[in-house]
Amino acid sequence: DTLWDLAIAEVEKRENPGDDDVKPGEVWEKSILFMGNKSGGKTTIILRCLEREESPKPTLALEYTFGRRARRHNTPKDVAHFWELGGGTSLMELIRIPITSHNIRSFAVVLVLDLSKPNELWTTMESLLQVTRNHVNKILSKLEKTNPEVAGEIKQRMWNDLQRDHPDSALVDPFPIPLVIIGSKYDIFHEFDSEMRKIISKTLRFVSHYYGASLVFTSKSEALLLKARALINHLAFGYDKSKSVSVDPSKPLFIPAGLDSMSQIGPPPASDSDLGKMRANTPLELWKKVFEKTFPPKSFCDLQDTKDPAQDSQYAEYEIDVMRAQKNQELEQYKRNASKSWKEMDFDSD
């Protein structure tokens, strides 16, 4: 190898920690799970990342697609697996399907939060991240027994984006796998009252920094989609990580992981008297109470996707629908017969 080749290899090693075992000429595979608010724009973001000119369709349950990119000219194309969880928080149990002990080293999560629905924001975020974290921790617990080196590597990588001497090291709790938080529908959010925007922006900055995640606001705007795409391509294909930062609450936020701080974010947006009345065991819990005071959450049931896919015209199939209708009639008949026989039963008064 020439000196230039060695220099390129060293830069790639620094930009992609954990991929040391991928040799030149070999193909690496990454996996990303997209989850978040129902109709929050996840499919649109995926299609844009893959440069596909398609109209987004509603996601049913858990959907899969993939993309391929070459790191350099005349090299094999790397593969990125894109999983998308539909239904908001109603199908969280499906998270365990794409994330396994076999791909955990190369897995990342993209959480898409609809900025136009602040009353759903915290509940959606908390529910999805908690279920994902619990599942990943179970995998890591098993790996500590079967492959402690890999488990140790993953836990060490959690802190890679935070400098060793960062003043917030003792105040944060990094997510166990790489995480990007995308605030979608910025065009609608931008029309909100400035104080509302400030509370939402500061809260998401805190949450992202607390979890060691990158944060970006986006919309259908090409310029904003490109910023989100840059973060996702870094996870999916190892592209260079952007070092630019935008923290102005009057503009779309863009903060790569590790480039924010508690001192820059400031305290929760509440008066000292209100903060003094709030009982919280952790900084995250305190921010939650402050946020939900302004944006009372919808109940968990309200966030469930109750629409029956079988009634959706886009999934219509004549033969299956006829058979389903017949089965529904048989079920109704069974219910009537069962109800009739139940009423006719003679119970012993003793």
Side-chain angles (χ1 to χ4, degrees):
D1 290 341
T2 65
L3 183 61
W4 184 247
D5 291 330
L6 294 173
I8 292 175
E10 179 62 23
V11 170
E12 288 185 344
K13 181 178 179 181
R14 291 181 182 179
E15 291 288 347
N16 302 287
D19 295 312
D20 304 341
D21 53 341
V22 180
K23 299 179 178 60
E26 288 186 350
V27 173
W28 73 29
E29 295 187 34
K30 302 284 187 178
S31 299
I32 301 178
L33 172 63
F34 288 76
M35 57 188 186
N37 289 96
K38 184 176 182 292
S39 302
K42 299 182 291 296
T43 306
T44 299
I45 294 170
I46 292 174
L47 292 174
R48 187 65 191 87
C49 288
L50 297 177
E51 299 179 355
R52 294 182 184 171
E53 299 296 331
E54 302 174 21
S55 298
K57 297 179 181 179
T59 302
L60 181 65
L62 185 68
E63 295 193 1
Y64 167 82
T65 188
F66 69 94
R68 303 179 70 192
R69 296 279 192 283
R71 271 170 283 171
R72 291 186 298 274
H73 185 60
N74 290 332
T75 60
K77 290 186 177 181
D78 299 317
V79 180
H81 306 279
F82 289 78
W83 297 87
E84 182 183 358
L85 180 69
T89 57
S90 63
L91 300 170
M92 294 187 294
E93 67 276 6
L94 297 180
I95 286 173
R96 60 187 174 83
I97 294 176
I99 309 177
T100 68
S101 58
H102 300 291
N103 64 15
I104 191 70
R105 292 179 67 196
S106 58
F107 212 99
V109 170
V110 174
L111 176 65
V112 181
L113 299 174
D114 189 339
L115 295 175
S116 70
K117 299 177 181 178
N119 298 87
E120 298 180 12
L121 193 149
W122 193 284
T123 304
T124 299
M125 173 183 67
E126 184 178 56
S127 301
L128 290 171
L129 290 184
Q130 187 174 28
V131 169
T132 305
R133 186 166 209 159
N134 289 342
H135 177 61
V136 171
N137 285 339
K138 286 181 181 178
I139 293 176
L140 291 178
S141 296
K142 292 180 180 178
L143 282 176
E144 285 176 345
K145 299 175 183 178
T146 59
N147 199 334
E149 289 185 4
V150 171
E153 175 194 319
I154 293 172
K155 290 186 175 182
Q156 178 59 41
R157 197 187 306 172
M158 291 164 53
W159 296 91
N160 280 347
D161 287 318
L162 207 64
Q163 299 173 357
R164 292 183 180 179
D165 57 348
H166 198 290
D168 301 335
S169 296
L171 301 174
V172 299
D173 186 17
F175 207 67
I177 54 180
L179 172 65
V180 170
I181 297 178
I182 296 179
S184 66
K185 301 187 181 179
Y186 177 80
D187 50 338
I188 301 175
F189 169 79
H190 188 60
E191 301 300 321
F192 285 7
D193 173 76
S194 61
E195 193 60 30
M196 291 175 61
R197 294 202 310 269
K198 181 180 177 182
I199 294 172
I200 296 171
S201 296
K202 284 191 68 171
T203 300
L204 287 179
R205 280 184 66 183
F206 169 80
V207 169
S208 298
H209 185 56
Y210 183 81
Y211 283 126
S214 297
L215 174 65
V216 59
F217 283 1
T218 189
S219 67
K220 293 181 180 179
S221 160
E222 186 67 19
L224 294 184
L225 280 171
L226 282 174
K227 288 192 172 185
R229 181 184 171 192
L231 288 175
I232 294 170
N233 278 338
H234 171 69
L235 297 177
F237 302 108
Y239 287 12
D240 290 346
K241 185 178 179 181
S242 175
K243 294 291 192 287
S244 65
V245 177
S246 175
V247 296
D248 186 343
S250 66
K251 299 178 181 179
L253 297 181
F254 182 80
I255 313 172
L259 299 185
D260 212 341
S261 67
M262 297 295 188
S263 61
Q264 293 178 28
I265 297 169
S271 66
D272 292 341
S273 59
D274 285 342
L275 289 176
K277 296 174 185 176
M278 294 178 180
R279 295 183 178 181
N281 297 318
T282 65
L284 186 68
E285 189 177 336
L286 179 62
W287 278 82
K288 176 183 178 180
K289 289 180 180 293
V290 171
F291 184 82
E292 292 188 340
K293 186 179 180 191
T294 305
F295 303 105
K298 288 189 175 182
S299 68
F300 187 77
C301 292
D302 290 340
L303 298 179
Q304 297 291 307
D305 183 10
T306 55
K307 184 178 180 180
D308 185 358
Q311 306 302 322
D312 196 324
S313 59
Q314 72 168 319
Y315 304 116
E317 292 188 41
Y318 178 75
E319 293 182 355
I320 294 177
D321 291 341
V322 169
M323 187 177 299
R324 182 182 177 86
Q326 180 182 336
K327 292 298 180 183
N328 285 340
Q329 290 178 355
E330 292 175 359
L331 176 61
E332 290 303 317
Q333 184 62 44
Y334 172 79
K335 288 180 180 178
R336 288 193 291 270
N337 292 341
S339 176
K340 188 183 299 183
S341 61
W342 176 266
K343 292 177 181 178
E344 291 174 353
M345 289 181 67
D346 184 18
F347 291 98
D348 189 344
S349 59
D350 295 333

